[in-house]
Structures are given as C-alpha cells and as structure tokens.
C-alpha cells in the first residue's frame, strides 16, 4: 500500500517497486484517490436530450432525443484552451467551457422509432467486444388486453416491440428483432440479459425465454426458446403420448398445486449454460411493488433442460450463497476489464461490514432475506464501473448516490466522497442542480449521475416531474 498521498511520490514508488502478483490493477486504481473531479461547470448549455449512460469502455455517451424518436451518440473529449498568463489556475475558464460541445463531440443521430413506436429511454445494453449497442422501441401498452393466442391473463400487451442492434462506431443498424402483441419489461433493461454473445429476452405475456446469439457479423440468430417446450422434440412427444401426459399432469398438479399459477418474472445468465429464473404470481410480474409478492428462484440448465436447484425467496441457503458469491450474480461477460472491480460484499470488506450491520439490525431474519433477494436476478449492466464507486477507495452516502443505475431524489446539498484511508479527508464533492440551489423547494426533483468509467468526468442531470428542461452539470478534473 502507498505510504504517501502525494501523486509524484506514488509515481516514483510505482517506478521502483514491483507489486505483488495479481495486484497491479488494484494498485493502479489507487491513483484515483489523487485524480478526482475537482471542478464543476453548472447549468451547461447542452442539447435537450435524455442522457442514458457512458459505455463501459468509455468510448461513447448514449443519449436519446426528447421526443424519444432518435438515438444520439457522442464521443467524450476533454476541454482544451490556451492561457497566456503566468498563473492560469486562478483564472476563470473561457466561455466555451460552458458548452456541452467542449466536452463531447456528436458522432451521429439515428432515427430508431417509427410507426407509432417510441424509444425506451431506460433500455440499453452494450457488447464491448464488438462495440454493438442494443436498443428497444415499442408502441403503447394495452392494459386490459384479452389473453388470446396463449397469452397470460392480467399481463399487458404491446402491439409491437422492436430490438435494434447497432454498431456504435457509425450508427449502422445491423439487425432487428420484432415481437408482436407481446410484453417485455423494458424499464431499466429488466426484460433482457446479455452474457458475452448470448442474449436472453423474457416474454412475460407468452411465458417464453428467447435465447439469441449475437454474431460478429451483427446478426441476431435464434438459439432456443424456453417456455411451454424446452427440447426440440417436446411437442412431438406430447402429441404422440397424450394419455401418458394427462396422467403426468394429474400427478404434477396434485403434488404441486401451489406452483400452478407461477409465471416467469425475470431471468439472468449465471454462465453460458445456466439461467437464474425468478417465478411469481401474475400480479407481481407486472407490479411496481413486486417485493411484497411471494417468489421463487430456479437454477435452470439449458442444455439438459433440468432445474438444478429451486428456492423460495426466504430460503436461508440462497441468501448465504448470495452473501458469499455475490460477484457470480453480477457477471455479464468474461472478457470485460471494466466491470471486474465493482464493489460487492463478496469482494470488499467495507461493503460486507455494511451488509452485516444491516443484517444485525433486522428484527426478522426471514423478512431481511426476502428484502435482499428482491434484487435478484440482477439487471444486466445496471452498475457503473467507475473507480469513484470503489468502496475500498471512497466512502459516500448510498442513499444519495451509488453505482446502481437509478434516478435518485435530488438534494440541494453537495454529495461528499470521503477517503477510506484517511476517514476525515474530503476528496471531492458533487452538487446536482443549479449552483445557487433551487428557487422552489416545494418542487420534487430527481437526479441521475453518469460517471465515465475511466476519466475523472461525470454528468449530473437534475429534472422535475413537470417536463421542464433539465439542469446538466459537468464535473471534471481541472
């Protein structure tokens, strides 16, 4: 561990000392204790877009037009200017620094939505190896749709859902996959999970898990569909052995009456062969408060079509697996270098202490387990790999900001990042919204933070619920 907080001393120590095997990247990340966003430009002049996120390799900033028709992609750059004075640090930044274009260069704008569809602004998955982006558009939901064609009663229907695969380098649309009169939960990418080149899409309405492969050529190829049938010859077997099947059904329903009404809620890959599938009631599958509904988890082997393990959401065994091996639930790629250092309670002592403190305070362990299991399966690419969320480097209030990609209730007070090694030292702070604070404290405001995965650069976006223009601040190292 470094003995000095001086960045020059750290560089010199790196030159003369060889790190222990396997620790070089962790040691390099400690330089972020010195390299932090130290300056904020408030209320930047920028396009009226909905900014989504940086890609995990930091090459692109993805945004959508305010009318949810167009995808707009930027390349992060850096503010550059010349100064003829002796002490440039004391001078104000030039006027051009207040412009969004000084930090980001627009690469292109592509129209994705058509025929009454809108872009789902919360949905985006990134395939780092090929720099492919997956986006989704859909028409409006029909909430009282009849359960025709084998659809589930109580699940909404969407006339058309389109998944678009793009090459982010130039915006070329490589392939599309359309679902008609179906329902996929697109919010926060809940209904889809990407693992390397495999994509799982959950049809809630027809209870099928569609497994697709993304080829290097940019083609979306069907691999299998898991639902009513799991093997290729299941339908043939059922049709040719109808009497035997009826007997099996009677036996199954007699012994498993509680499971008859369960539907698939959500799915994630554990590896290339195993899925973690969450089951529950129809009401819980389409409700925003699914946590209050009972649920079950199954580990399913796609190759053998066997359920390897089955747990209720209050099962101690599943919780202890989650506590010990949390990183296995977050994995979305074997090759990503940027996603391997996110803090969790199975790789970070500070996160583990926080979890155990919460567990010790819980008055009912069963309810605590249910609350923890509510986050499973994890949404794909839902956490920022930024080193400023590394809990071994910085301490921050997770009620106000965290690595999880979610809107937060905005505050007029700065959010502080405190050094872990020096608990009383403030390393940097970030304030969303206007520099002088909000003029109307009664208006409810939400904010989101977009951290670059490598550079000391972040956007804070504050908006109200009345569709007013957002306040965008740029936080960077001056």
């Amino acid at each position: 561990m470094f003995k000095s907080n001086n960045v020059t001393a750290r560089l010199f120590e790196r030159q003369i000392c060889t790190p222990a095997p396997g620790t070089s990247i962790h040691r390099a990340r400690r330089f972020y204790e010195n390299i932090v966003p130290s300056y904020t430009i408030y209320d930047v002049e920028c396009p009226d877009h909905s900014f989504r996120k940086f890609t995990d390799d930091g090459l692109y900033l993805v945004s959508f037009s305010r009318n949810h028709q167009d995808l707009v992609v930027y390349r992060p750059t850096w503010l550059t200017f010349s100064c003829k004075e002796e002490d440039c640090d004391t001078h104000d930044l030039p006027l051009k620094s207040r412009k969004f274009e000084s930090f980001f260069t627009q690469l292109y704008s592509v129209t994705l939505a058509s025929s009454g569809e809108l872009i789902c602004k919360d949905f985006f998955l990134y395939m780092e190896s090929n720099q492919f982006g997956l986006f989704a558009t859909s028409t409006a939901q029909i909430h009282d749709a009849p359960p025709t064609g084998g659809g589930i009663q109580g699940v909404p229907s969407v006339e058309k859902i389109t998944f678009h695969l793009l090459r982010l380098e130039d915006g070329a649309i490589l392939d599309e996959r359309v679902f008609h009169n179906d329902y996929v939960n697109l919010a926060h990418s809940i209904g889809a999970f990407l693992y390397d080149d495999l994509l799982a899409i959950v049809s809630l309405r027809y209870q099928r898990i569609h497994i697709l492969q993304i080829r290097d050529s940019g083609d979306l190829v069907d691999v299998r569909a898991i639902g009513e049938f799991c093997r290729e010859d299941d339908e043939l077997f059922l049709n040719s052995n109808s009497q035997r099947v009826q007997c099996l059904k009677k036996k199954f329903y007699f012994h498993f009456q509680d499971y008859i009404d369960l539907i698939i809620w959500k799915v994630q890959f554990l590896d290339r062969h195993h899925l973690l599938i969450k089951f529950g009631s129809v009401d819980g599958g389409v409700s925003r408060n699914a946590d209050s509904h009972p649920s079950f988890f199954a580990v399913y082997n796609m190759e053998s079509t066997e359920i390897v393990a089955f747990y209720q959401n209050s099962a101690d065994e599943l919780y202890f697996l989650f506590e010990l091996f949390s990183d296995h639930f977050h994995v979305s790629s074997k090759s990503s270098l940027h996603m391997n250092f996110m803090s969790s309670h199975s790789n970070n002592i500070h996160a583990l202490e926080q979890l155990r403190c919460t567990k010790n305070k819980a008055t009912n362990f069963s309810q605590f387990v249910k609350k923890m299991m509510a986050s499973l399966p994890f949404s794909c690419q839902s956490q920022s790999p930024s080193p400023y969320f590394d809990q071994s480097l910085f301490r921050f209030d997770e009620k106000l900001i965290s690595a999880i990609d979610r809107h937060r209730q905005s505050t007029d007070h700065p959010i502080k990042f405190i050094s872990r090694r020096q608990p009383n030292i403030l390393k940097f702070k970030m304030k969303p919204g206007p520099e002088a604070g909000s003029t109307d404290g009664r208006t409810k405001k939400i904010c989101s933070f977009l951290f670059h995965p490598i550079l000391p650069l972040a956007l804070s976006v504050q908006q109200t619920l009345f569709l007013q223009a957002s306040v965008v601040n740029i936080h960077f190292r001056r």
Side-chain angles (χ1 to χ4, degrees):
M1 180 176 287
F2 295 107
K3 297 179 181 179
S4 173
N5 290 316
N6 184 283
V7 69
T8 305
R10 286 187 163 191
L11 289 169
F12 181 71
E13 186 174 2
R14 186 178 68 175
Q15 290 287 89
I16 63 175
C17 299
T18 302
T23 65
S24 58
I25 296 181
H26 291 281
R27 190 167 182 176
R29 283 171 67 85
R30 291 194 174 275
F31 277 87
Y32 283 98
E33 291 180 321
N34 295 78
I35 305 171
V36 299
S38 59
Y39 193 85
T40 298
I41 299 177
Y42 292 93
D43 204 0
V44 174
E45 296 178 20
C46 66
D48 188 19
H49 291 165
S50 175
F51 296 102
R52 179 66 185 92
K53 67 182 296 186
F54 290 99
T55 54
D56 295 334
D57 53 16
L59 294 177
Y60 307 99
L61 173 64
V62 172
S63 68
F64 305 113
S65 61
R66 188 62 68 180
N67 63 1
H68 299 166
Q69 298 288 311
D70 306 319
L71 163 70
V72 187
V73 174
Y74 294 89
R75 174 82 74 194
T77 53
W78 200 258
L79 178 67
T80 58
F81 64 96
S82 60
C83 176
K84 298 180 181 179
E85 306 295 332
E86 291 186 1
D87 188 7
C88 294
D89 290 339
T90 61
H91 287 265
D92 292 333
L93 293 177
L95 291 177
K96 75 169 188 176
S97 68
R98 300 194 61 84
K99 297 183 180 295
F100 185 81
E101 294 77 16
S102 295
F103 292 85
F104 301 94
T105 301
Q106 181 176 323
L107 297 182
Y108 53 83
S109 176
V110 177
T111 299
L112 291 183
S114 61
S115 303
E117 290 183 284
L118 296 175
I119 293 175
C120 176
K121 63 184 180 67
D122 291 330
F123 186 96
F124 167 57
L125 297 178
Y126 182 56
M127 192 175 179
E128 187 175 330
S129 58
N130 298 89
Q131 295 183 15
F132 293 164
L134 188 73
F135 303 90
T137 58
S138 71
T139 55
Q141 288 185 26
I142 304 172
H143 291 279
D144 54 352
T148 56
I152 300 295
Q153 177 72 46
V155 176
S157 178
V158 178
E159 182 181 350
K160 184 182 180 185
I161 302 171
T162 308
F163 291 92
H164 310 261
L165 185 69
L166 271 76
R167 185 170 55 226
L168 288 189
E169 181 183 11
D170 55 9
I173 299 177
L174 304 176
D175 203 353
E176 294 179 344
R177 182 55 53 92
V178 179
F179 292 81
H180 291 286
N181 302 313
D182 206 334
Y183 182 77
V184 178
N185 193 343
L186 299 176
H188 304 292
S189 308
I190 287 175
F193 197 95
L194 182 65
Y195 183 91
D196 288 336
D197 59 343
L198 294 179
L199 175 67
I201 298 176
V202 179
S203 162
L204 277 176
R205 183 164 175 78
Y206 296 107
Q207 286 297 285
R208 295 190 191 106
I209 303 171
H210 299 271
I211 307 294
L212 296 88
Q213 185 181 32
I214 303 176
R215 298 283 177 84
D216 291 342
S217 59
D219 296 313
L220 290 169
V221 180
D222 289 311
V223 176
R224 59 169 54 88
I226 302 166
E228 185 179 2
F229 307 116
C230 298
R231 295 179 185 265
E232 292 182 359
D233 59 348
D234 277 353
E235 188 172 11
L236 176 63
F237 173 81
L238 292 174
N239 291 335
S240 59
N241 297 272
S242 57
Q243 291 183 344
R244 182 180 166 196
V245 169
Q246 289 301 323
C247 179
L248 288 173
K249 281 185 175 179
K250 289 180 182 178
K251 220 171 181 181
F252 178 85
Y253 289 144
F254 180 78
H255 290 288
F256 298 95
Q257 185 65 39
D258 292 338
Y259 303 148
I260 294 175
D261 295 328
L262 295 181
I263 68 167
I264 297 170
W265 282 2
K266 196 176 176 184
V267 68
Q268 76 167 95
F269 283 102
L270 296 176
D271 55 37
R272 294 186 69 86
H273 305 292
H274 293 87
L275 298 174
L276 178 65
I277 306 174
K278 189 173 188 176
F279 294 90
S281 66
V282 174
D283 292 338
V286 298
S287 170
R288 290 184 177 270
N289 298 317
D291 301 355
S292 60
H293 296 266
S295 58
F296 300 84
F297 297 90
V299 178
Y300 178 76
N301 187 314
M302 296 190 294
E303 305 300 325
S304 65
T305 68
E306 293 178 344
I307 291 180
V308 179
F310 194 81
Y311 305 96
Q312 193 167 357
N313 64 334
S314 57
D316 296 357
E317 182 182 356
L318 180 60
Y319 168 75
F320 289 122
L321 288 172
F322 171 72
E323 182 176 305
L324 292 172
F325 307 106
S326 176
D327 291 348
H328 291 264
F329 294 92
H330 282 287
V331 67
S332 62
S333 173
K334 296 180 297 184
S335 59
S336 174
L337 297 176
H338 308 93
M339 303 301 290
N340 294 336
F341 302 97
M342 293 185 299
S343 297
S344 73
H345 43 260
S346 59
N347 68 24
N348 186 282
I349 186 63
H350 305 289
L352 180 60
E353 287 177 357
Q354 189 175 14
L355 175 70
R356 288 178 174 171
C357 180
T358 305
K359 182 169 66 174
N360 293 335
K361 289 180 181 179
T363 56
N364 186 314
F365 183 70
S366 178
Q367 290 300 320
F368 167 77
V369 170
K370 288 181 180 179
K371 182 178 180 181
M372 296 304 299
M373 294 301 99
S375 61
L376 292 180
F378 285 121
S379 295
C380 186
Q381 301 178 6
S382 61
Q383 289 189 279
S384 168
S386 168
Y388 301 111
F389 292 120
D390 188 334
Q391 294 194 40
S392 63
L393 301 179
F394 301 100
R395 177 168 55 86
F396 43 86
D397 188 346
E398 290 201 69
K399 294 179 182 177
L400 301 177
I401 192 170
S402 77
I404 299 175
D405 178 23
R406 286 288 190 274
H407 293 296
R408 306 276 173 156
Q409 186 169 348
S410 187
T411 173
D412 288 332
H413 304 288
I415 300 172
K416 299 178 180 180
F417 287 75
I418 310 294
S419 170
R420 279 288 185 190
R421 294 199 308 129
Q422 301 170 290
N424 298 319
I425 300 298
L426 172 67
K427 285 297 183 179
F428 69 99
K429 56 187 178 181
M430 298 174 61
K431 181 181 178 299
E435 184 174 9
S438 174
T439 56
D440 185 4
R442 298 169 299 176
T443 304
K444 188 174 181 180
K445 300 175 288 292
I446 58 174
C447 65
S448 57
F449 295 89
L450 286 70
F451 276 73
H452 193 278
I454 302 167
L455 301 174
L457 172 68
L459 298 179
S460 62
V461 183
Q462 185 189 75
Q463 57 198 66
T464 65
L465 302 181
F466 300 105
L467 299 180
Q468 298 175 356
S470 301
V471 176
V472 178
N473 301 333
I474 295 181
H475 314 267
F476 68 106
R477 178 174 175 80
R478 179 174 173 176

